[in-house]
């Protein structure tokens, strides 16, 4: 019997319309894809969008049903302009509704893997506060052997290195900040402070923030010599709290399925249920790793990949042009992935939350995500509305051999634990 593979590619922050409960998060009207399309279309009509010319064109994603999924998610409202002129549909499409309370990457990925987060995470400080709990910072300074800590509270990661990067290099004090997400982020210079030392410090912080129920500690290394020249590198690393229960990744691994995490997948699951991890944040490197593992691995496998730059480089920075360009760059590489699929393989394209670059603030937005499936008979089908991201993981698990009985048993255990 031929081995089967399922690829789940998460376009980090790729939402396609606000959820019914978006008002609880202050995200009414958020629509990551829809607003990018509108801005591109308006810019096309005017001749440019701050240097970008033309409507957003995503022919491969559209052939998998992206426009149709967005229309369903948006209550039958079509996008402002078509994503392609191609009418042939090579995939199946639908959209999924988040069940988890937090609107972040950890909760989104855990829910895809069958473990929704039904209670919110903890948060270290409120909007406007610049300091963290004194017990936390004192312990981090002592255990990390630090001369001190530059505390920024709620802040933009690119702004804090611009504002405090030179002070950090001069004093050796790392820069600590957070956002509306349940995160504790530490920025430090790769050369002046050291990348290994930054990772070690974040490992210490991971243990210290457990008492506050913080989802992730994020290492944010940067390089450069002057404020205007500082830039973050691809050596970001997430230190997540481990899943509080078994996920589909654990179940698949224990049943002999190889689970390959690409991008920040292993970080988000604290390595739990992962057979092999390939670290990268760059889109091309993630796509290359997916294609390589489709071709090289001959065992029944789940290839779970995250494309983080949509979120960290463009969504949070409210960079509409950058987000549009990154979407088109991914779309151009997507045919290579589809071509690499074997006859027993499937590809699932989805998201983990929204991050509408036209929305107020710089935080994630509460949105539906697309569910686009290609391969193994998934052609020209509407999958409709998925009531939870868990349905995405179920699609992959069934394809890889989990029976309805096994899945029912797994999710019944989760319901009993709630």
């Amino acid at each position: 019997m031929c081995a089967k593979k399922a690829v789940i590619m998460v376009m980090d922050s790729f939402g396609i319309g606000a959820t019914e409960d978006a008002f609880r998060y202050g995200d009414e009207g958020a629509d990551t894809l829809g607003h990018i399309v509108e801005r591109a279309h308006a810019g096309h009509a005017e001749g440019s969008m701050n240097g970008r010319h033309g409507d957003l064109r995503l022919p491969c994603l559209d052939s998998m049903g992206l426009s149709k999924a967005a229309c369903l998610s948006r209550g039958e409202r079509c996008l402002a302009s078509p994503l392609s002129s191609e009418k042939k549909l090579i995939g199946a499409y639908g959209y999924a509704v988040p069940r988890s309370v937090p609107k972040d990457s950890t909760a989104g990925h855990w829910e895809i893997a069958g473990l929704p987060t039904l209670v919110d995470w903890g948060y270290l400080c409120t909007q406007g506060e610049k300091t963290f709990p004194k017990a936390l910072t004192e312990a981090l300074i002592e255990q990390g052997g630090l001369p001190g800590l530059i505390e920024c509270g709620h802040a933009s990661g690119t702004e804090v290195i611009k504002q405090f990067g030179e002070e950090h290099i001069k004093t050796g004090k790392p820069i600590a900040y957070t956002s509306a997400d349940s995160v504790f982020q530490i920025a430090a210079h790769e050369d002046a402070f050291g990348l290994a030392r930054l990772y070690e410090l974040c490992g210490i912080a991971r243990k210290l923030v457990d008492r506050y129920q913080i989802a992730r500690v994020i290492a944010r290394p940067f390089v450069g010599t002057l404020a205007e020249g500082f830039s973050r590198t691809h050596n970001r690393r997430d230190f997540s709290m481990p899943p509080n229960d078994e996920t589909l990744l654990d179940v698949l691994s224990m049943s002999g399925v190889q689970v390959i995490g690409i991008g920040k997948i292993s970080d988000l699951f604290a390595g739990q249920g992962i057979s092999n991890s390939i670290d990268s944040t760059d889109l091309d490197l993630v796509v290359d790793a997916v294609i390589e593992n489709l071709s090289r691995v001959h065992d029944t496998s789940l290839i779970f990949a995250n494309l983080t730059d949509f979120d960290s480089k463009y969504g949070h920075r409210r960079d509409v042009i950058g987000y549009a360009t990154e979407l088109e760059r991914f779309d151009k590489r997507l045919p290579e992935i589809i071509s690499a699929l074997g006859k027993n393989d499937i590809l699932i394209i989805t998201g983990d939350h929204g991050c509408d670059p036209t929305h107020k603030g710089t935080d994630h937005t509460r949105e539906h995500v697309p569910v686009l499936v290609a391969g193994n008979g998934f052609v020209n089908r509407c999958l409709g509305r998925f009531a939870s991201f868990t349905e995405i993981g179920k699609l992959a698990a069934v394809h890889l051999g989990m029976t309805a009985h096994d899945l029912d048993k797994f999710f019944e255990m989760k319901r009993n634990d709630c």
Side-chain angles (χ1 to χ4, degrees):
M1 187 175 182
C2 293
K4 294 181 177 181
K5 300 186 188 73
V7 181
I8 301 176
M9 295 196 75
V10 180
M11 299 171 68
D12 204 307
S13 86
F14 191 49
I16 57 170
T19 61
E20 289 183 0
D21 66 353
F23 69 93
R24 299 183 187 278
Y25 299 80
D27 292 335
E28 304 97 318
D31 187 351
T32 300
L33 173 63
H35 288 144
I36 293 171
V37 171
E38 286 175 11
R39 288 283 184 90
H41 184 60
H44 177 56
E46 296 166 4
S48 72
M49 184 177 75
N50 295 325
R52 177 194 160 82
H53 295 265
D55 287 328
L56 185 68
R57 307 298 284 176
L58 305 173
C60 194
L61 283 164
D62 205 38
S63 72
M64 291 180 67
L66 178 57
S67 290
K68 292 180 181 294
C71 187
L72 282 177
S73 166
R74 292 152 48 95
E76 300 302 328
R77 287 188 301 112
C78 293
L79 296 170
S81 65
L83 300 177
S84 74
S85 57
E86 179 60 59
K87 301 300 180 185
K88 184 180 178 183
L89 198 62
I90 65 167
Y93 63 90
Y95 72 94
V97 181
R99 185 181 171 210
S100 295
V101 175
K103 54 173 183 176
D104 72 348
S105 292
T106 302
H109 284 75
W110 287 10
E111 185 172 346
I112 290 170
L115 185 62
T117 303
L118 304 180
V119 177
D120 204 359
W121 311 121
Y123 300 88
L124 286 173
C125 61
T126 60
Q127 189 76 39
E129 286 186 325
K130 293 297 183 183
T131 58
F132 298 107
K134 188 176 181 181
L136 168 62
T137 55
E138 287 181 347
L140 185 61
I141 290 168
E142 180 184 353
Q143 294 181 32
L146 302 173
L149 198 66
I150 300 171
E151 298 181 59
C152 301
H154 274 255
S156 159
T158 52
E159 288 302 313
V160 297
I161 62 172
K162 185 186 296 184
Q163 187 174 355
F164 299 107
E166 291 181 2
E167 180 184 344
H168 155 68
I169 292 172
K170 187 183 298 183
T171 64
K173 298 177 182 179
I175 306 165
Y177 64 103
T178 187
S179 69
D181 297 326
S182 179
V183 294
F184 184 57
Q185 306 190 73
I186 304 176
H189 196 278
E190 282 199 2
D191 300 320
F193 191 83
L195 188 60
R197 188 182 177 202
L198 175 59
Y199 290 161
E200 181 183 0
L201 182 64
C202 288
I204 294 168
R206 172 67 268 166
K207 295 175 183 177
L208 293 174
V209 300
D210 279 347
R211 63 181 289 193
Y212 303 98
Q213 286 294 295
I214 302 303
R216 283 180 292 161
V217 172
I218 305 176
R220 291 289 196 176
F222 65 96
V223 294
T225 55
L226 296 172
E228 294 301 322
F230 289 138
S231 61
R232 298 196 299 199
T233 75
H234 286 299
N235 291 319
R236 160 190 170 152
R237 186 174 169 192
D238 293 45
F239 295 74
S240 291
M241 66 169 69
N244 59 340
D245 204 343
E246 203 173 51
T247 72
L248 285 171
L249 307 189
D250 299 300
V251 175
L252 290 169
S253 291
M254 288 186 289
S255 68
V257 174
Q258 188 172 179
V259 178
I260 301 164
I262 301 174
K264 65 179 185 180
I265 296 297
S266 184
D267 286 351
L268 291 171
F269 288 87
Q272 191 169 304
I274 307 292
S275 312
N276 184 29
S277 178
I278 301 162
D279 295 328
S280 181
T281 57
D282 178 75
L283 184 147
D284 284 321
L285 294 178
V286 170
V287 171
D288 289 344
V290 169
I291 293 169
E292 181 184 351
N293 279 277
L294 276 169
S295 305
R296 180 178 59 82
V297 177
H298 302 296
D299 301 321
T300 295
S301 307
L302 171 65
I303 300 171
F304 199 175
N306 173 277
L307 296 158
T308 190
D309 283 354
F310 291 112
D311 184 52
S312 60
K313 281 190 174 181
Y314 308 112
H316 282 300
R317 299 185 194 181
R318 296 304 188 241
D319 182 353
V320 181
I321 298 172
Y323 208 127
T325 302
E326 190 79 347
L327 285 170
E328 291 177 333
R329 194 157 75 96
F330 177 55
D331 192 80
K332 288 176 182 175
R333 300 262 356 233
L334 192 50
E336 298 175 56
I337 302 172
I338 294 173
S339 295
L341 295 173
K343 64 179 181 179
N344 296 313
D345 303 338
I346 63 169
L347 167 66
I348 303 171
I349 303 288
T350 189
D352 54 349
H353 49 72
C355 199
D356 184 343
T358 72
H359 205 60
K360 61 183 184 292
T362 60
D363 299 318
H364 295 153
T365 44
R366 183 74 165 180
E367 295 183 55
H368 302 143
V369 300
V371 183
L372 312 176
V373 191
N376 203 245
F378 283 94
V379 180
N380 199 18
R381 288 167 54 188
C382 176
L383 302 172
R385 176 185 184 273
F386 289 8
S388 168
F389 293 3
T390 57
E391 300 298 320
I392 301 166
K394 281 184 183 180
L395 268 180
V398 168
H399 175 73
L400 294 172
M402 281 190 74
T403 66
H405 173 75
D406 290 338
L407 281 167
D408 287 345
K409 184 178 178 182
F410 174 80
F411 284 103
E412 183 60 37
M413 289 171 63
K414 295 293 160 285
R415 283 191 289 271
N416 289 341
D417 287 343
C418 293

